[in-house]
Amino acid sequence: MKRALITGVTGQDGSYLAELLLQKGYEVYGLVRRKSTQDYGQAEHLKDQIRFLYGDMTDVTSLVAALQVSKPDEVYNLAAQSFVGISWQQPVATSEINGLGVLYLLEAMRMVNSKAKFYQASTSELFGLAAEIPQSESTPFHPRSPYGVAKLYGHWTAINYRESYGMFVATGILFNHESERRGKEFVSRKITNAVARIKFGLQQQLEVGNLDARRDWGHAEDYVRAMWLMLQRDLPGDYVVASKTSWTVRTWIEKAFARTGVSLVWQGSGLQETGLDAQTKKVLVKVNPQFFRPAEVHHLEGDPHKAEEELGWRRNVSFDQLVNRMVDFDLAQAALEAQVHKS
């Protein structure tokens, strides 16, 4: 039986990865921070199948202890301050967790278990002001947020440990991947949650930032499978995981409303743009300047050719299926909430 240690196990990716590894017969350990009230997050349904270990990405001693207890064959580093918007408000904390945290974990591994295979969760935000479309493993990096800069430090630290110490270190440059487990502060889930609540009269409108930002979106279930595939190879590498298609935030909103039967028409442009219900002319979507980034990332679209060729990876969930699954999930949640309000 293989043993795996997952940092960030309570998040979207961590929970899907834990499910995958459990299905494959792994003994799974998850690193969690100590809180006054224990919160298993998205891994709540797995709490009896995972062995949770207390630790913190900024505390090397706790990382060493977690490695000594878990004795992992594979380590998946998914822990992060994962919301780009907050990184401008908390740049130091973001840098410590997303950047230095990678260094602390790799140094702990080098001391305790240097033979374990290591996966580093990198991000399309490394490309930021992208020099080319689509972006591949050879595209120059130009991060545009404290989050992206910190992730770039972690990315190069991972590669440095591979090259300096001969450790098996793989990095996945994953483009936007969403799911029903996505936090509601992220634009994808913010949209589907708002659309569902508007449908049931629980919310009046959705406020968003840059409607024309383009992203390459996929489902997290597909993307965690790529993480696992990277650590099954004989030699480590760096891989872009993406769909090679991109959609605007505007299109996501339109598809989400269409799933509920509501047709939108747009009025105005830029910061004055609003989305109206085509029948009632009621304002359902409003652009709010506070949701624009200080430095915008306009177009991210990845080329997964290397991952497809070397890993045999393919995505199973299309963009339309992703939107529909998330909207349907949030419609079910909103229906329950509406029932509570009525009773």
Side-chain angles (χ1 to χ4, degrees):
M1 179 183 290
K2 282 189 177 181
R3 299 158 70 99
L5 173 64
I6 304 172
T7 71
V9 71
T10 60
Q12 169 190 259
D13 291 8
S15 63
Y16 279 120
L17 178 61
E19 286 179 348
L20 176 67
L21 297 181
L22 288 168
Q23 290 168 7
K24 293 184 177 296
Y26 280 65
E27 185 175 347
V28 178
Y29 293 78
L31 191 75
V32 294
R33 285 182 292 173
R34 179 73 181 183
K35 299 179 182 178
S36 57
T37 302
Q38 187 57 60
D39 178 12
Y40 298 105
Q42 299 297 345
E44 175 71 27
H45 64 296
L46 302 172
K47 65 182 181 181
D48 295 328
Q49 302 176 63
I50 298 173
R51 183 172 176 186
F52 293 95
L53 304 173
Y54 291 121
D56 191 290
M57 293 301 295
T58 62
D59 182 356
V60 177
T61 303
S62 69
L63 298 177
V64 167
L67 289 166
Q68 289 173 331
V69 172
S70 59
K71 298 180 175 59
D73 300 289
E74 299 170 3
V75 176
Y76 295 86
N77 183 34
L78 311 186
Q81 189 295 98
S82 59
F83 188 43
V84 176
I86 290 296
S87 73
W88 276 280
Q89 300 174 34
Q90 300 179 2
V92 175
T94 300
S95 298
E96 289 177 343
I97 298 167
N98 297 6
L100 287 174
V102 182
L103 174 65
Y104 297 151
L105 181 53
L106 282 166
E107 188 62 11
M109 285 183 62
R110 190 173 72 87
M111 292 186 291
V112 176
N113 187 0
S114 63
K115 299 302 181 183
K117 293 184 175 183
F118 179 85
Y119 170 81
Q120 169 59 21
S122 292
T123 168
S124 58
E125 290 288 331
L126 300 183
F127 298 116
L129 191 62
E132 60 186 7
I133 299 169
Q135 296 94 44
S136 69
E137 293 81 5
S138 61
T139 302
F141 298 130
H142 188 152
R144 298 264 283 174
S145 65
Y147 170 86
V149 171
K151 276 291 193 176
L152 183 56
Y153 178 91
H155 178 79
W156 280 116
T157 296
I159 292 173
N160 183 253
Y161 268 68
R162 180 173 72 210
E163 295 177 348
S164 299
Y165 302 113
M167 295 170 64
F168 190 109
V169 175
T171 71
I173 306 174
L174 271 58
F175 279 63
N176 292 64
H177 47 290
E178 320 296 328
S179 76
E180 303 88 324
R181 299 179 189 175
R182 193 50 135 163
K184 294 176 183 177
E185 70 274 19
F186 292 86
V187 68
S188 58
R189 185 75 191 287
K190 180 180 182 179
I191 293 168
T192 60
N193 180 61
V195 164
R197 289 174 56 79
I198 289 170
K199 178 71 174 179
F200 283 90
L202 299 169
Q203 184 171 326
Q204 296 303 307
Q205 63 183 218
L206 162 68
E207 292 190 0
V208 294
N210 185 4
L211 289 170
D212 297 318
R214 299 186 70 91
R215 294 294 184 269
D216 185 324
W217 274 299
H219 197 287
E221 279 183 328
D222 287 337
Y223 286 53
V224 300
R225 183 162 32 85
M227 300 175 189
W228 177 77
L229 286 169
M230 289 179 210
L231 298 199
Q232 308 317 303
R233 290 182 58 79
D234 294 330
L235 296 174
D238 309 306
Y239 297 90
V240 163
V241 181
S243 70
K244 206 175 182 179
T245 58
S246 62
W247 305 83
T248 63
V249 173
R250 182 195 308 270
T251 300
W252 184 294
I253 292 171
E254 290 170 346
K255 287 181 177 289
F257 271 108
R259 183 67 172 178
T260 70
V262 176
S263 178
L264 281 182
V265 292
W266 297 96
Q267 184 178 72
S269 62
L271 300 182
Q272 287 73 47
E273 193 156 18
T274 56
L276 308 179
D277 184 314
Q279 292 183 328
T280 67
K281 303 303 180 184
K282 183 178 179 181
V283 175
L284 299 181
V285 184
K286 183 178 179 181
V287 172
N288 187 334
Q290 79 175 64
F291 295 121
F292 277 73
R293 296 180 178 186
E296 282 289 331
V297 173
H298 299 289
H299 191 170
L300 295 178
E301 184 176 315
D303 180 358
H305 178 77
K306 181 180 178 182
E308 292 175 345
E309 289 298 310
E310 294 189 7
L311 305 179
W313 178 81
R314 297 290 188 279
R315 75 167 186 164
N316 295 322
V317 182
S318 70
F319 177 68
D320 283 354
Q321 290 171 330
L322 169 66
V323 175
N324 290 345
R325 280 178 57 166
M326 291 178 65
V327 171
D328 291 349
F329 177 84
D330 281 324
L331 282 171
Q333 297 296 306
L336 292 174
E337 185 179 350
Q339 278 296 117
V340 172
H341 281 284
K342 286 181 181 179
S343 58

